[in-house]
Amino acid sequence: GDSVTQTEGQVALSEEDFLTIHCNYSASGYPTLFWYVQYPGEGPQLLFRASRDKEKGSSRGFEATYDKGTTSFHLRKASVQESDSAVYYCALSDLGTGSKLSFGKGAKLTVSP
Amino acid sequence: GGIITQTPKFLIGQEGQKLTLKCQQNFNHDTMYWYRQDSGKGLRLIYYSITENDLQKGDLSEGYDASREKKSSFSLTVTSAQKNEMAVFLCASSIGTVSYEQYFGPGTRLTVL
């Protein structure tokens, strides 16, 4: 079935560091790809999505480009801030998953001042 | 805008107990979801409902029942709580399926003694 594999566990950075969280997917069709962010005590919220090859999603300085050739949707930010500390989830949905989102296991980003 | 309300915020139960979690949304969305979030395992879909009175099993439906009483509400029942179980249950809704954004509630934290 469709699945997402992403950087897991803890990611520790200092303010102004460059961030990359890797996300690779496996899907039988042409999925829509998502990045969600979850702050402590809250539910996940959409950061952005992309539906076509080479489409770039972006929000709040974060960006990712849909790459069908490498089946990837890596999250990047040039200069992280302490306020970016949160858990980041890559997810996909397509006709193969029906109405469902398939989530990666999440990466917890901690940014130190 | 809209909001998803989950009750209760914290739920403490005994082993073998039947426990019910409730979710209300005022987005007027057709589709609603229940996810279980465990540390290091990401979000796993328990049940979803495409419209009122519809129920679809997710990947983790064993041990749970669900009920979509009306368009705005979706309940989840843990049929027999497992000792030492601890997880966060997240409710979400979306206007449609596949490529649509899901909006999440803040979660119900379950602890089973």
Side-chain angles (χ1 to χ4, degrees):
Chain A
D2 294 357
S3 66
V4 169
T5 303
Q6 66 165 106
T7 300
E8 297 177 20
Q10 312 279 340
V11 177
L13 295 174
S14 300
E15 280 194 324
E16 300 184 11
D17 279 353
F18 189 94
L19 169 71
T20 301
I21 298 178
H22 291 100
C23 174
N24 288 91
Y25 69 90
S26 172
S28 53
Y30 207 129
T32 297
L33 303 175
F34 303 79
W35 277 103
Y36 279 81
V37 57
Q38 184 176 24
Y39 298 101
E42 300 180 10
Q45 56 186 269
L46 180 69
L47 199 50
F48 51 78
R49 84 193 100 181
S51 300
R52 301 182 305 277
D53 190 23
K54 302 297 183 276
E55 180 179 356
K56 180 194 278 191
S58 64
S59 176
R60 310 181 210 175
F62 292 90
E63 62 179 39
T65 300
Y66 192 133
D67 190 328
K68 199 167 188 299
T70 59
T71 61
S72 67
F73 193 54
H74 303 318
L75 181 69
R76 293 186 167 94
K77 186 173 185 183
S79 176
V80 294
Q81 302 300 311
E82 191 176 2
S83 58
D84 294 326
S85 297
V87 180
Y88 292 83
Y89 291 98
C90 184
L92 73 79
S93 72
D94 74 353
L95 291 176
T97 63
S99 305
K100 300 182 288 185
L101 273 181
S102 294
F103 282 88
K105 294 186 178 180
K108 183 176 182 180
L109 172 65
T110 303
V111 181
S112 304
Chain B
I3 192 167
I4 293 183
T5 304
Q6 291 189 238
T7 54
K9 192 172 175 64
F10 299 96
L11 182 57
I12 299 174
Q14 302 292 326
E15 184 181 16
Q17 195 174 1
K18 185 175 176 179
L19 303 167
T20 298
L21 294 70
K22 294 188 179 295
C23 176
Q24 296 265 355
Q25 55 97 359
N26 64 358
F27 288 99
N28 199 33
H29 285 165
D30 284 316
T31 309
M32 296 186 74
Y33 306 82
W34 276 107
Y35 291 90
R36 178 182 166 123
Q37 184 175 39
D38 295 274
S39 179
K41 293 186 180 177
L43 278 69
R44 293 180 289 173
L45 183 65
I46 305 172
Y47 268 98
Y48 64 104
S49 169
I50 296 171
T51 187
E52 187 178 341
N53 295 320
D54 173 74
L55 283 178
Q56 308 278 342
K57 291 183 177 181
D59 300 320
L60 204 66
S61 60
E62 190 171 334
Y64 303 95
D65 286 328
S67 174
R68 184 84 181 269
E69 304 89 358
K70 50 186 179 181
K71 188 174 182 179
S72 63
S73 66
F74 195 28
S75 299
L76 180 73
T77 298
V78 180
T79 55
S80 179
Q82 301 298 304
K83 189 173 175 62
N84 297 324
E85 183 174 6
M86 187 181 297
V88 175
F89 292 84
L90 292 163
C91 177
S93 71
S94 65
I95 193 169
T97 61
V98 189
S99 62
Y100 289 94
E101 175 181 2
Q102 292 187 15
Y103 294 81
F104 285 82
T108 292
R109 184 174 294 275
L110 171 67
T111 302
V112 182
L113 303 176

